[in-house]
Amino acid sequence: MDLYLKRFWEEGSGNQLVEWSGAQISLDNPNVFTLLAKEYDVPGDEAVQEIFKGRNFGEAYAYVTQLSKTIISENDDLPENIKSMFLAMQQKPAWVDDDLIQMGCNLCMRSGTNALISLRDYSLMSGYDYAYLNKALIYTGALKKGPAKRITDTLDFWIHVTRNNALGINALGYQYIARTRMMHSFSRLMIKEKYADWDHEKWGEPINFGDMVATNIGFSLFYLHGLHKLGMHISEKEELGVFHLWKYVGHLLGIPEKHLPNNKKEATELFYLWTDGQVSADEDSVMLAQALENEAFASNIFKKAYQKNFLKYLHSCYVRFLIDEETCNRLHISKIRMYYLFPRFRKFRNQILQKIIGMSSKNYQRAVTMGDIFQTKISQEYLKADS
């Protein structure tokens, strides 16, 4: 294992994950990610080749959107691979528990702005420390498109797949997943066709199953651990619900569900194995992290310089609070005196609010409703600014 990532697990945020989850990490057994790095969504790629046949990108996107709004049947006059992919997506697995998914959605909504901080300043920023994982982003132009675009797209996707009944067939979240699956396959095929310097030996296939599992864990394990660090009380059902929600999202994205975790212990152990095939931050990682840290300046949400400066400062404080110092330094995150003041105040406030929320089901439901409103409003502001 990379020396810096080994220290991450022994002394850094990884060590905190192990203590919090009760995981037992070991490299003694064969690492499944060695094989998963070479595997990818073949049905998605075959469907996308048919989707783009005779269509430009805008037309293909509109076509997939229309298909995702429609019940597909065996008798439909569609290309075989497109029909096969959508028929498989429409088959709801027997293991899916709608009540558990609902609990996961409840937490995603009631966590309000805490969720957005955890996702942006912990999950997303942490991901940039893994150099091989970032290569697909670099080759598909993440830096050229800018951090504001990625934040907007990620938040828009997250909002729509974590709402009530979002994953029903043809529901809005389901539609977003179908389009995202198309984007994954399109990007993979484009990289393979245009970039002969893609290092399959080191990086595996572009957007491979191993990296998709790690990304899925970012939306579940790291999201939950970030909320925990910010002082939120999470019930066992909510916690399991988040993992169940993302297991089903992963299934719809084409990931074999047997490789997706059911709880924080499994997720931590899987993530540990995945990091064994990674190396820590390189120059591309630093550029991505710096772009994200300075996202306030690229975004059009705030117009005035002092607003942009304060937003950057605030997010840098949360990054420093949530991610261990060595990882932050590798990513060249700004060094800030007393960075913990705003995060600690939020943590104290959250601990008080959790007690109030726990007093009655009415208070709990109000927190879910208000969190949904705040998150949706912020997502809409990002979309408005991006447009």
Side-chain angles (χ1 to χ4, degrees):
M1 180 179 286
D2 178 280
L3 177 61
Y4 292 114
L5 297 184
K6 186 177 180 183
R7 286 216 293 265
F8 165 85
W9 287 106
E10 292 176 348
E11 304 168 12
S13 300
N15 182 258
Q16 297 172 15
L17 279 171
V18 171
E19 290 182 1
W20 174 66
S21 67
Q24 296 179 329
I25 55 175
S26 171
L27 296 175
D28 293 340
N29 297 319
N31 193 336
V32 66
F33 286 99
T34 303
L35 294 176
L36 288 180
K38 301 173 183 177
E39 297 179 5
Y40 55 92
D41 180 17
V42 174
D45 286 17
E46 292 173 343
V48 159
Q49 288 174 9
E50 294 176 344
I51 289 166
F52 277 85
K53 192 173 183 180
R55 299 181 180 90
N56 61 34
F57 186 84
E59 292 168 341
Y61 191 87
Y63 182 48
V64 170
T65 299
Q66 185 56 46
L67 289 170
S68 68
K69 293 178 180 179
T70 309
I71 294 291
I72 306 299
S73 72
E74 289 280 4
N75 299 323
D76 286 340
D77 183 19
L78 288 171
E80 199 58 39
N81 291 316
I82 294 176
K83 186 191 298 184
S84 178
M85 185 188 79
F86 276 100
L87 285 174
M89 289 180 69
Q90 288 176 178
Q91 293 300 311
K92 191 173 181 179
W95 53 263
V96 174
D97 184 331
D98 290 329
D99 291 336
L100 205 52
I101 287 178
Q102 180 65 59
M103 291 302 298
C105 291
N106 283 348
L107 177 64
C108 289
M109 288 184 282
R110 83 169 180 86
S111 53
T113 54
N114 295 292
L116 310 187
I117 291 169
S118 181
L119 289 167
R120 183 195 189 280
D121 298 330
Y122 191 34
S123 299
L124 187 57
M125 189 65 87
S126 290
Y128 290 148
D129 192 37
Y130 305 100
Y132 296 166
L133 176 67
N134 297 324
K135 296 309 174 188
L137 287 173
I138 296 297
Y139 277 72
T140 52
L143 283 171
K144 186 177 180 180
K145 294 172 186 174
K149 174 65 174 172
R150 190 174 187 214
I151 288 286
T152 300
D153 290 346
T154 303
L155 179 56
D156 190 36
F157 174 81
W158 185 84
I159 288 286
H160 283 92
V161 302
T162 59
R163 305 302 97 166
N164 293 333
N165 304 313
L167 303 183
I169 307 305
N170 303 141
L172 204 51
Y174 174 91
Q175 294 174 35
Y176 269 73
I177 291 169
R179 295 198 295 265
T180 300
R181 188 170 180 179
M182 180 201 78
M183 287 297 301
H184 285 168
S185 287
F186 173 78
S187 298
R188 180 166 42 248
L189 292 169
M190 182 270 292
I191 290 171
K192 288 174 142 182
E193 179 183 348
K194 292 188 175 183
Y195 298 102
D197 61 338
W198 179 269
D199 195 331
H200 286 81
E201 187 64 30
K202 287 183 179 178
W203 309 335
E205 292 291 328
I207 316 178
N208 59 68
F209 280 152
D211 291 349
M212 290 181 74
V213 169
T215 303
N216 188 282
I217 288 172
F219 281 112
S220 53
L221 178 71
F222 277 79
Y223 160 71
L224 288 167
H225 192 225
L227 295 184
H228 170 73
K229 287 186 166 191
L230 292 171
M232 285 200 66
H233 172 73
I234 304 166
S235 73
E236 183 180 1
K237 281 191 175 181
E238 286 177 325
E239 183 179 291
L240 292 174
V242 168
F243 283 105
H244 201 68
L245 164 67
W246 284 100
K247 184 172 183 175
Y248 189 34
V249 172
H251 164 79
L252 291 173
L253 286 170
I255 307 172
E257 60 260 24
K258 66 180 180 180
H259 298 303
L260 293 166
N262 296 297
N263 53 58
K264 62 187 179 186
K265 180 178 181 294
E266 289 181 10
T268 304
E269 291 167 354
L270 278 172
F271 193 73
Y272 177 75
L273 293 175
W274 174 79
T275 59
D276 185 47
Q278 289 287 311
V279 296
S280 55
D282 62 5
E283 291 181 2
D284 290 336
S285 302
V286 172
M287 285 192 293
L288 286 165
Q290 287 297 289
L292 179 58
E293 187 180 20
N294 292 297
E295 175 262 334
F297 299 115
S299 173
N300 292 314
I301 290 182
F302 293 110
K303 305 298 182 185
K304 299 185 182 298
Y306 78 88
Q307 293 173 317
K308 292 175 180 287
N309 280 312
F310 180 70
L311 188 60
K312 178 200 171 178
Y313 167 79
L314 200 59
H315 280 301
S316 297
C317 287
Y318 281 112
V319 172
R320 284 276 173 186
F321 181 77
L322 293 167
I323 301 175
D324 63 83
E325 183 178 6
E326 185 172 308
T327 301
C328 286
N329 292 341
R330 271 200 303 278
L331 296 173
H332 295 190
I333 304 302
S334 301
K335 293 185 178 181
I336 301 169
R337 293 178 61 188
M338 296 189 292
Y339 64 83
Y340 48 80
L341 289 180
F342 282 104
R344 282 185 181 175
F345 175 75
R346 175 175 284 270
K347 183 175 181 178
F348 175 71
R349 177 177 172 272
N350 282 338
Q351 288 170 338
I352 294 174
L353 287 175
Q354 300 309 296
K355 293 179 181 179
I356 297 172
I357 290 169
M359 287 179 179
S360 68
S361 58
K362 184 177 180 181
N363 287 356
Y364 179 89
Q365 193 54 51
R366 184 182 292 115
V368 171
T369 302
M370 293 305 297
D372 179 23
I373 291 171
F374 285 140
Q375 290 173 356
T376 302
K377 182 178 180 181
I378 292 170
S379 179
Q380 289 172 345
E381 288 295 325
Y382 267 97
L383 287 167
K384 181 180 176 182
D386 185 56
S387 64

